[in-house]
């Protein structure tokens, strides 16, 4: 009798259809598996996930920025091309000296809650807003490496905590037609192409700000951290 019951249970398990995970659910689980926080407190409670595909320095937008959120229980994921590495000209080839340390900033994979503040368009052109557009400025220290040997390879050396005064921002970084990739827009900042920034990312950000305020969390992961990695 016991063996018969066990056999029936096994048969049911074999016939059971696999649980299909949504794209939103897959990203959420990947982030939670890293020990990071996932935001799901209500409509437009955004999870902005920067995904570093690899450490190839090629002055191209070959990383991704994922924005995950829900509205009235419906899951949404937007995916745009992005950059999480410095460019060459003005970046890796020309490292700057900050607080006595010479090297181009490379943001480490990490999560820092409430690390960035959104600044709306209309600010004057200055070092904090070089593109005369909306951008995110740091409000907390984030972890970086500094690369100072002036070549095309990322060197994971000189780890340090980068304070807000280093101004490692999020902003748009150019169009592939007018200027291939992100050279020379990035010296360590994170960003997307102008059209994606203006037409896709920022409209969602503005809806979130109306509910949750202007502070946002930095979450940078590697493609291999995703349960189902992104394929180009």
């Amino acid at each position: 009798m016991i063996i018969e019951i066990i056999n029936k249970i096994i048969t049911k398990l074999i016939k059971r259809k696999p649980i299909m995970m949504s794209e939103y659910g897959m990203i959420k689980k990947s982030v939670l598996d890293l020990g990071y926080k996932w935001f799901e407190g209500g409509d437009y409670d955004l999870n902005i996930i920067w995904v570093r595909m690899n450490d190839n320095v090629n002055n191209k937008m070959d990383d991704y920025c994922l924005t995950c959120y829900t509205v009235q229980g419906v899951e949404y994921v937007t995916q745009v091309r992005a950059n999480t590495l410095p460019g060459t000209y003005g970046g890796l080839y020309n490292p700057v000296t900050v607080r006595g340390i010479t090297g181009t900033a490379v943001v480490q994979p990490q999560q820092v809650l409430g690390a960035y503040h959104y600044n709306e368009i209309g600010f004057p052109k200055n070092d904090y807003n070089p593109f005369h557009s909306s951008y995110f400025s740091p409000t907390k220290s984030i972890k970086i490496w500094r690369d100072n040997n002036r070549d095309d390879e990322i060197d994971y050396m000189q780890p340090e905590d980068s304070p807000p005064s280093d101004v490692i921002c999020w902003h748009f970084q150019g169009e592939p037609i007018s200027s291939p990739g992100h050279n020379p827009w990035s010296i360590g900042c994170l960003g997307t192409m102008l059209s994606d920034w203006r037409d896709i990312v920022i409209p969602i950000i503005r809806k979130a700000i109306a509910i949750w305020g202007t502070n946002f969390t930095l979450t940078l992961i590697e493609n291999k951290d995703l349960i189902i990695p992104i394929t180009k």
Side-chain angles (χ1 to χ4, degrees):
M1 179 63 112
I2 295 177
I3 294 176
E4 185 178 335
I5 293 173
I6 293 174
N7 286 335
K8 287 182 179 180
I9 294 173
I10 292 174
T11 301
K12 287 182 179 180
L13 290 174
I14 291 174
K15 291 182 178 180
R16 182 179 296 172
K17 294 181 179 180
I19 297 173
M20 300 301 292
M21 187 179 295
S22 65
E23 181 183 22
Y24 177 97
M26 179 273 294
I27 300 169
K28 175 181 177 180
K29 187 175 188 311
S30 300
V31 170
L32 292 174
D33 284 350
L34 290 170
Y36 295 163
K37 183 173 181 178
W38 186 262
F39 298 92
E40 214 168 42
D43 291 355
Y44 293 103
D45 196 3
L46 302 186
N47 299 272
I48 302 174
I49 316 297
W50 299 89
V51 181
R52 180 171 291 157
M53 297 296 288
N54 52 54
D55 57 3
N56 295 334
V57 178
N58 54 18
N59 290 324
K60 294 182 180 179
M61 291 281 184
D62 56 1
D63 296 324
Y64 288 91
C65 179
L66 311 177
T67 307
C68 308
Y69 58 99
T70 62
V71 178
Q72 297 183 353
V74 179
E75 299 172 349
Y76 293 90
V77 176
T78 64
Q79 176 178 302
V80 298
R81 289 277 185 174
N83 154 54
T84 69
L85 293 173
T88 50
Y89 173 76
L92 292 174
Y93 292 170
N94 308 94
V96 297
T97 300
V98 180
R99 297 185 310 282
I101 302 174
T102 299
T104 302
V106 181
V107 180
Q108 297 184 29
Q110 65 197 289
Q111 184 178 74
V112 184
L113 302 179
Y116 279 82
H117 173 77
Y118 177 76
N119 303 279
E120 185 54 271
I121 190 171
F123 282 66
K125 186 175 182 179
N126 53 47
D127 289 341
Y128 292 88
N129 186 15
F131 303 110
H132 207 47
S133 179
S134 51
Y135 69 104
F136 293 80
S137 56
T139 60
K140 295 181 179 180
S141 292
I142 63 173
K143 295 185 180 300
I144 66 169
W145 293 290
R146 288 208 176 269
D147 186 313
N148 68 358
N149 64 350
R150 296 176 170 83
D151 63 13
D152 292 336
E153 297 183 3
I154 298 295
D155 297 298
Y156 301 109
M157 302 172 64
Q158 300 189 93
E160 64 170 279
D161 290 332
S162 172
S165 58
D166 285 356
V167 205
I168 299 176
C169 298
W170 306 350
H171 54 74
F172 77 79
Q173 295 182 352
E175 291 294 327
I177 297 176
S178 60
S179 52
H182 52 84
N183 181 33
W185 277 266
S186 176
I187 55 173
C189 297
L190 310 181
T192 75
M193 292 184 291
L194 172 58
S195 57
D196 289 339
W197 186 259
R198 179 191 59 220
D199 301 334
I200 299 176
V201 177
I202 296 305
I204 298 171
I205 295 295
R206 287 176 177 151
K207 290 180 179 180
I209 286 172
I211 303 171
W212 304 100
T214 55
N215 288 340
F216 293 84
T217 289
L218 165 65
T219 304
L220 170 59
I221 67 176
E222 296 179 307
N223 192 38
K224 65 180 178 61
D225 295 325
L226 291 171
I227 295 173
I228 303 176
I230 298 171
T231 56
K232 295 185 180 181

